[in-house]
Amino acid sequence: MPSPIAILDYGAGNLTSVACAVRHLGREPFITRDPDQIRKAERVIFPGVGAAGASMEHLNRLGLAEAFVDVYRAGRPVLGICIGCQITLAFSEEDGGTRCLGLFPGSVRRFQFPPGVRRKVPHMGWNEVLFQGRHPVFRGLPRGSQFYFVHSYYPSPDDPSVVEGTASYGGIRFAAALARENLAAVQFHTEKSGPPGLKILENFLSWNGNGV
Amino acid sequence: MLSKRVIVCLDVRNRKTTKGIKFQGNVDIGDPVEMGKQYYREGVDELVFYDITASAENRPMDIEMVREVAQRIFIPFSVGGGIRSLDDMRAVLLAGAEKVSVNSLAVKNPAIIAEGAKAFGSQCIVLGMDALRVDPGVKIPSGYEVVVKGGRERTGIDAIRWAKEAEKLGAGEICVNSIDADGTKAGYELNLTSQIAEAVGIPVIASGGAGKPEHLLEVLTKGQADAALIASMVHYGEYTIPQIKDYLASRGVRVRIPLI
């Protein structure tokens, strides 16, 4: 029988907040870096802060990259948060170029603004996300809801149909929420985004993994 | 578009929120976790818990309190006070804090900023800085000098220079507190925050002097701050977070108004 909710631990820290949020929603998660435990989990949350290069290195070394792809292929619900979202794309510009998992074709790009636009990087703070409103994980969110972001790179998937929500910074409108089959991913810290953030986690925890 | 942030600071002593009143010492005004939760419900964007006696008593900050906050409040919060080493930083971050603030420690040992940023990421490291207005001179061209120990000790370091250095070392944010404005409720030191905001490319949090919503408007526009720190104007029920945010929104400042 699959274990319930696994939070993937690959040394990137900040797992506590995700675990606290899941507990607040009445479910008991377990934090693990054991690939077999990940494969057996009912659903997996892939959180994280940090850099793409170091994250991929840890994931590969610990055998977690493979386990993560396996659990995705097995059709179980998977949620990536922040760096856990970025590394589901094929490639990141961070750390001189990092090959990632490639579950979404496309890349992760650094914020670069047109001449004359002065914006701080990282994009840090609360920003509005516009959702398509069709995906089960991203339902029930009032229009205009804001979420907490901290990142210098943003997801840029090739296929626009995987984009479930967008945010805008310095004139760049980027994918802030993505979904494909049983995989959902958010660039913002849904665990630190107050009630609408918790709503997404709650949706994920009851999601059967079917897409739109 | 990114919203300007309203941050509430809770000074904590022996597990109680406390407020310094000039020449009268401190009075306890409530339970920090409960107060934090109330501000969270009202829609504050971020919280700061500052253990005001940890440093003086040479003990680590109250980790149990950090854990309790993390279990009940689902927005970013930072902690400061009693951070003496990388291990202390790790402990508060693992307990669920989003960020850790270093002030006097960083003045004494600037390398701690770089070490913290390398170990946990720049976004975790907030440089807290107390600045005192002085006559501009060769050593302090900006007219603001960094002070430590709650303003009792001058360092001879120019506040703008220190902000730039901290950014270079890897600080993710700078929280600049004006010693002159602190406690006056007469408004933030706008010249200080705008000088720092122009000098660095990382977010600047203004602190010290907030007494009414107009002060936040000033510092978030003219003062060029990305976030405004407040304390007593909400601690005593004079204003609520929604009142402050509604005012800012009505004056064209983009803020986060919670919808659920």
Side-chain angles (χ1 to χ4, degrees), chain B residues 1-23:
Chain B
M1 201 179 135
L2 205 53
S3 294
K4 298 280 188 181
R5 285 172 282 158
V6 175
I7 303 177
V8 169
C9 179
L10 296 129
D11 285 343
V12 180
R13 181 182 67 170
N14 303 326
R15 213 47 192 297
K16 293 275 196 307
T17 307
T18 184
K19 191 66 203 167
I21 295 180
K22 279 189 176 164
F23 311 116

PDB file of all heavy atoms in Angstrom, chain B residues 1-23:
ATOM      1  N   MET B   1       2.683  42.796 -11.425  1.00  0.00           N
ATOM      2  CA  MET B   1       3.469  43.836 -10.751  1.00  0.00           C
ATOM      3  C   MET B   1       3.619  43.494  -9.274  1.00  0.00           C
ATOM      4  O   MET B   1       2.675  43.049  -8.643  1.00  0.00           O
ATOM      5  CB  MET B   1       2.730  45.160 -10.907  1.00  0.00           C
ATOM      6  CG  MET B   1       3.594  46.362 -10.730  1.00  0.00           C
ATOM      7  SD  MET B   1       2.557  47.826 -10.980  1.00  0.00           S
ATOM      8  CE  MET B   1       3.081  48.817  -9.613  1.00  0.00           C
ATOM      9  N   LEU B   2       4.817  43.706  -8.790  1.00  0.00           N
ATOM     10  CA  LEU B   2       5.109  43.374  -7.401  1.00  0.00           C
ATOM     11  C   LEU B   2       4.427  44.371  -6.464  1.00  0.00           C
ATOM     12  O   LEU B   2       4.394  45.561  -6.734  1.00  0.00           O
ATOM     13  CB  LEU B   2       6.627  43.466  -7.236  1.00  0.00           C
ATOM     14  CG  LEU B   2       7.313  42.675  -6.151  1.00  0.00           C
ATOM     15  CD1 LEU B   2       6.946  41.208  -6.209  1.00  0.00           C
ATOM     16  CD2 LEU B   2       8.829  42.822  -6.311  1.00  0.00           C
ATOM     17  N   SER B   3       3.902  43.867  -5.358  1.00  0.00           N
ATOM     18  CA  SER B   3       3.274  44.755  -4.375  1.00  0.00           C
ATOM     19  C   SER B   3       4.306  45.291  -3.398  1.00  0.00           C
ATOM     20  O   SER B   3       5.308  44.646  -3.116  1.00  0.00           O
ATOM     21  CB  SER B   3       2.215  43.984  -3.597  1.00  0.00           C
ATOM     22  OG  SER B   3       1.161  43.612  -4.439  1.00  0.00           O
ATOM     23  N   LYS B   4       4.044  46.470  -2.868  1.00  0.00           N
ATOM     24  CA  LYS B   4       4.842  46.962  -1.750  1.00  0.00           C
ATOM     25  C   LYS B   4       4.390  46.197  -0.513  1.00  0.00           C
ATOM     26  O   LYS B   4       3.200  45.909  -0.340  1.00  0.00           O
ATOM     27  CB  LYS B   4       4.597  48.458  -1.551  1.00  0.00           C
ATOM     28  CG  LYS B   4       5.008  49.304  -2.756  1.00  0.00           C
ATOM     29  CD  LYS B   4       6.500  49.556  -2.793  1.00  0.00           C
ATOM     30  CE  LYS B   4       6.855  50.560  -3.895  1.00  0.00           C
ATOM     31  NZ  LYS B   4       8.305  50.806  -3.963  1.00  0.00           N
ATOM     32  N   ARG B   5       5.325  45.887   0.345  1.00  0.00           N
ATOM     33  CA  ARG B   5       5.002  45.059   1.514  1.00  0.00           C
ATOM     34  C   ARG B   5       4.852  45.882   2.792  1.00  0.00           C
ATOM     35  O   ARG B   5       5.601  46.824   3.025  1.00  0.00           O
ATOM     36  CB  ARG B   5       6.124  44.042   1.751  1.00  0.00           C
ATOM     37  CG  ARG B   5       6.142  42.886   0.790  1.00  0.00           C
ATOM     38  CD  ARG B   5       7.391  42.045   0.980  1.00  0.00           C
ATOM     39  NE  ARG B   5       8.566  42.663   0.372  1.00  0.00           N
ATOM     40  CZ  ARG B   5       9.826  42.390   0.718  1.00  0.00           C
ATOM     41  NH1 ARG B   5      10.077  41.542   1.694  1.00  0.00           N
ATOM     42  NH2 ARG B   5      10.820  42.993   0.109  1.00  0.00           N
ATOM     43  N   VAL B   6       3.890  45.457   3.613  1.00  0.00           N
ATOM     44  CA  VAL B   6       3.747  46.007   4.961  1.00  0.00           C
ATOM     45  C   VAL B   6       4.169  44.900   5.925  1.00  0.00           C
ATOM     46  O   VAL B   6       3.618  43.798   5.905  1.00  0.00           O
ATOM     47  CB  VAL B   6       2.298  46.449   5.236  1.00  0.00           C
ATOM     48  CG1 VAL B   6       2.140  46.893   6.683  1.00  0.00           C
ATOM     49  CG2 VAL B   6       1.887  47.561   4.269  1.00  0.00           C
ATOM     50  N   ILE B   7       5.177  45.198   6.724  1.00  0.00           N
ATOM     51  CA  ILE B   7       5.767  44.198   7.615  1.00  0.00           C
ATOM     52  C   ILE B   7       5.576  44.645   9.061  1.00  0.00           C
ATOM     53  O   ILE B   7       5.830  45.808   9.384  1.00  0.00           O
ATOM     54  CB  ILE B   7       7.280  44.038   7.308  1.00  0.00           C
ATOM     55  CG1 ILE B   7       7.485  43.658   5.832  1.00  0.00           C
ATOM     56  CG2 ILE B   7       7.924  43.009   8.236  1.00  0.00           C
ATOM     57  CD1 ILE B   7       8.946  43.556   5.402  1.00  0.00           C
ATOM     58  N   VAL B   8       5.133  43.731   9.906  1.00  0.00           N
ATOM     59  CA  VAL B   8       5.011  44.075  11.326  1.00  0.00           C
ATOM     60  C   VAL B   8       6.164  43.444  12.092  1.00  0.00           C
ATOM     61  O   VAL B   8       6.490  42.271  11.898  1.00  0.00           O
ATOM     62  CB  VAL B   8       3.664  43.605  11.910  1.00  0.00           C
ATOM     63  CG1 VAL B   8       3.654  43.732  13.434  1.00  0.00           C
ATOM     64  CG2 VAL B   8       2.512  44.429  11.323  1.00  0.00           C
ATOM     65  N   CYS B   9       6.776  44.245  12.945  1.00  0.00           N
ATOM     66  CA  CYS B   9       7.887  43.770  13.771  1.00  0.00           C
ATOM     67  C   CYS B   9       7.411  43.545  15.199  1.00  0.00           C
ATOM     68  O   CYS B   9       6.755  44.405  15.794  1.00  0.00           O
ATOM     69  CB  CYS B   9       9.015  44.804  13.757  1.00  0.00           C
ATOM     70  SG  CYS B   9      10.419  44.311  14.768  1.00  0.00           S
ATOM     71  N   LEU B  10       7.740  42.368  15.730  1.00  0.00           N
ATOM     72  CA  LEU B  10       7.425  42.063  17.129  1.00  0.00           C
ATOM     73  C   LEU B  10       8.727  41.888  17.886  1.00  0.00           C
ATOM     74  O   LEU B  10       9.516  40.991  17.589  1.00  0.00           O
ATOM     75  CB  LEU B  10       6.580  40.784  17.198  1.00  0.00           C
ATOM     76  CG  LEU B  10       5.207  40.915  16.528  1.00  0.00           C
ATOM     77  CD1 LEU B  10       4.961  39.791  15.545  1.00  0.00           C
ATOM     78  CD2 LEU B  10       4.114  40.948  17.566  1.00  0.00           C
ATOM     79  N   ASP B  11       8.965  42.776  18.831  1.00  0.00           N
ATOM     80  CA  ASP B  11      10.119  42.620  19.716  1.00  0.00           C
ATOM     81  C   ASP B  11       9.729  41.640  20.805  1.00  0.00           C
ATOM     82  O   ASP B  11       8.693  41.806  21.449  1.00  0.00           O
ATOM     83  CB  ASP B  11      10.495  43.965  20.347  1.00  0.00           C
ATOM     84  CG  ASP B  11      11.211  44.879  19.351  1.00  0.00           C
ATOM     85  OD1 ASP B  11      11.685  44.371  18.320  1.00  0.00           O
ATOM     86  OD2 ASP B  11      11.274  46.092  19.599  1.00  0.00           O
ATOM     87  N   VAL B  12      10.565  40.629  20.986  1.00  0.00           N
ATOM     88  CA  VAL B  12      10.206  39.575  21.927  1.00  0.00           C
ATOM     89  C   VAL B  12      11.221  39.508  23.065  1.00  0.00           C
ATOM     90  O   VAL B  12      12.430  39.586  22.830  1.00  0.00           O
ATOM     91  CB  VAL B  12      10.148  38.211  21.200  1.00  0.00           C
ATOM     92  CG1 VAL B  12       9.771  37.100  22.163  1.00  0.00           C
ATOM     93  CG2 VAL B  12       9.166  38.263  20.039  1.00  0.00           C
ATOM     94  N   ARG B  13      10.692  39.384  24.269  1.00  0.00           N
ATOM     95  CA  ARG B  13      11.540  39.204  25.447  1.00  0.00           C
ATOM     96  C   ARG B  13      10.864  38.162  26.322  1.00  0.00           C
ATOM     97  O   ARG B  13       9.692  38.318  26.652  1.00  0.00           O
ATOM     98  CB  ARG B  13      11.661  40.536  26.199  1.00  0.00           C
ATOM     99  CG  ARG B  13      12.535  40.470  27.439  1.00  0.00           C
ATOM    100  CD  ARG B  13      12.576  41.796  28.153  1.00  0.00           C
ATOM    101  NE  ARG B  13      11.276  42.142  28.718  1.00  0.00           N
ATOM    102  CZ  ARG B  13      11.070  43.151  29.562  1.00  0.00           C
ATOM    103  NH1 ARG B  13      12.076  43.946  29.890  1.00  0.00           N
ATOM    104  NH2 ARG B  13       9.879  43.393  30.052  1.00  0.00           N
ATOM    105  N   ASN B  14      11.574  37.121  26.670  1.00  0.00           N
ATOM    106  CA  ASN B  14      11.003  36.047  27.499  1.00  0.00           C
ATOM    107  C   ASN B  14       9.636  35.594  26.994  1.00  0.00           C
ATOM    108  O   ASN B  14       8.694  35.477  27.750  1.00  0.00           O
ATOM    109  CB  ASN B  14      10.858  36.475  28.964  1.00  0.00           C
ATOM    110  CG  ASN B  14      12.173  36.915  29.545  1.00  0.00           C
ATOM    111  OD1 ASN B  14      13.209  36.369  29.188  1.00  0.00           O
ATOM    112  ND2 ASN B  14      12.142  37.913  30.405  1.00  0.00           N
ATOM    113  N   ARG B  15       9.564  35.389  25.689  1.00  0.00           N
ATOM    114  CA  ARG B  15       8.340  34.839  25.103  1.00  0.00           C
ATOM    115  C   ARG B  15       7.156  35.807  25.135  1.00  0.00           C
ATOM    116  O   ARG B  15       6.021  35.434  24.951  1.00  0.00           O
ATOM    117  CB  ARG B  15       7.971  33.552  25.862  1.00  0.00           C
ATOM    118  CG  ARG B  15       7.290  32.473  25.025  1.00  0.00           C
ATOM    119  CD  ARG B  15       8.044  32.292  23.760  1.00  0.00           C
ATOM    120  NE  ARG B  15       7.379  31.498  22.754  1.00  0.00           N
ATOM    121  CZ  ARG B  15       7.041  30.230  22.860  1.00  0.00           C
ATOM    122  NH1 ARG B  15       7.232  29.566  23.972  1.00  0.00           N
ATOM    123  NH2 ARG B  15       6.488  29.602  21.866  1.00  0.00           N
ATOM    124  N   LYS B  16       7.417  37.074  25.399  1.00  0.00           N
ATOM    125  CA  LYS B  16       6.351  38.081  25.388  1.00  0.00           C
ATOM    126  C   LYS B  16       6.729  39.170  24.388  1.00  0.00           C
ATOM    127  O   LYS B  16       7.892  39.533  24.286  1.00  0.00           O
ATOM    128  CB  LYS B  16       6.213  38.736  26.768  1.00  0.00           C
ATOM    129  CG  LYS B  16       5.705  37.788  27.859  1.00  0.00           C
ATOM    130  CD  LYS B  16       4.199  37.747  27.831  1.00  0.00           C
ATOM    131  CE  LYS B  16       3.617  37.147  29.100  1.00  0.00           C
ATOM    132  NZ  LYS B  16       4.172  35.836  29.436  1.00  0.00           N
ATOM    133  N   THR B  17       5.713  39.679  23.696  1.00  0.00           N
ATOM    134  CA  THR B  17       5.974  40.847  22.867  1.00  0.00           C
ATOM    135  C   THR B  17       6.152  42.023  23.799  1.00  0.00           C
ATOM    136  O   THR B  17       5.410  42.189  24.758  1.00  0.00           O
ATOM    137  CB  THR B  17       4.793  41.132  21.922  1.00  0.00           C
ATOM    138  OG1 THR B  17       4.498  39.943  21.209  1.00  0.00           O
ATOM    139  CG2 THR B  17       5.142  42.247  20.941  1.00  0.00           C
ATOM    140  N   THR B  18       7.147  42.853  23.499  1.00  0.00           N
ATOM    141  CA  THR B  18       7.462  43.925  24.423  1.00  0.00           C
ATOM    142  C   THR B  18       7.657  45.210  23.616  1.00  0.00           C
ATOM    143  O   THR B  18       7.884  45.186  22.421  1.00  0.00           O
ATOM    144  CB  THR B  18       8.734  43.541  25.226  1.00  0.00           C
ATOM    145  OG1 THR B  18       8.989  44.548  26.183  1.00  0.00           O
ATOM    146  CG2 THR B  18       9.940  43.376  24.322  1.00  0.00           C
ATOM    147  N   LYS B  19       7.485  46.303  24.269  1.00  0.00           N
ATOM    148  CA  LYS B  19       7.666  47.560  23.565  1.00  0.00           C
ATOM    149  C   LYS B  19       8.447  48.515  24.446  1.00  0.00           C
ATOM    150  O   LYS B  19       8.064  48.758  25.597  1.00  0.00           O
ATOM    151  CB  LYS B  19       6.285  48.146  23.214  1.00  0.00           C
ATOM    152  CG  LYS B  19       6.333  49.309  22.251  1.00  0.00           C
ATOM    153  CD  LYS B  19       6.831  48.916  20.855  1.00  0.00           C
ATOM    154  CE  LYS B  19       7.395  50.134  20.124  1.00  0.00           C
ATOM    155  NZ  LYS B  19       8.161  49.785  18.932  1.00  0.00           N
ATOM    156  N   GLY B  20       9.530  49.036  23.891  1.00  0.00           N
ATOM    157  CA  GLY B  20      10.342  49.974  24.653  1.00  0.00           C
ATOM    158  C   GLY B  20       9.691  51.343  24.676  1.00  0.00           C
ATOM    159  O   GLY B  20       9.218  51.830  23.669  1.00  0.00           O
ATOM    160  N   ILE B  21       9.624  51.916  25.822  1.00  0.00           N
ATOM    161  CA  ILE B  21       9.100  53.274  25.920  1.00  0.00           C
ATOM    162  C   ILE B  21      10.222  54.106  26.497  1.00  0.00           C
ATOM    163  O   ILE B  21      10.811  53.753  27.521  1.00  0.00           O
ATOM    164  CB  ILE B  21       7.832  53.325  26.805  1.00  0.00           C
ATOM    165  CG1 ILE B  21       6.726  52.523  26.110  1.00  0.00           C
ATOM    166  CG2 ILE B  21       7.390  54.767  27.042  1.00  0.00           C
ATOM    167  CD1 ILE B  21       5.427  52.459  26.829  1.00  0.00           C
ATOM    168  N   LYS B  22      10.529  55.178  25.829  1.00  0.00           N
ATOM    169  CA  LYS B  22      11.742  55.914  26.177  1.00  0.00           C
ATOM    170  C   LYS B  22      11.835  56.245  27.667  1.00  0.00           C
ATOM    171  O   LYS B  22      10.899  56.769  28.244  1.00  0.00           O
ATOM    172  CB  LYS B  22      11.835  57.168  25.316  1.00  0.00           C
ATOM    173  CG  LYS B  22      12.400  56.801  23.949  1.00  0.00           C
ATOM    174  CD  LYS B  22      12.732  57.998  23.101  1.00  0.00           C
ATOM    175  CE  LYS B  22      13.385  57.497  21.811  1.00  0.00           C
ATOM    176  NZ  LYS B  22      13.409  58.487  20.778  1.00  0.00           N
ATOM    177  N   PHE B  23      12.954  55.955  28.225  1.00  0.00           N
ATOM    178  CA  PHE B  23      13.293  56.236  29.629  1.00  0.00           C
ATOM    179  C   PHE B  23      12.474  55.437  30.635  1.00  0.00           C
ATOM    180  O   PHE B  23      12.579  55.622  31.825  1.00  0.00           O
ATOM    181  CB  PHE B  23      13.165  57.737  29.949  1.00  0.00           C
ATOM    182  CG  PHE B  23      13.843  58.608  28.951  1.00  0.00           C
ATOM    183  CD1 PHE B  23      13.126  59.489  28.172  1.00  0.00           C
ATOM    184  CD2 PHE B  23      15.218  58.495  28.757  1.00  0.00           C
ATOM    185  CE1 PHE B  23      13.757  60.275  27.227  1.00  0.00           C
ATOM    186  CE2 PHE B  23      15.856  59.285  27.816  1.00  0.00           C
ATOM    187  CZ  PHE B  23      15.125  60.181  27.045  1.00  0.00           C
TER     188      PHE B  23
END
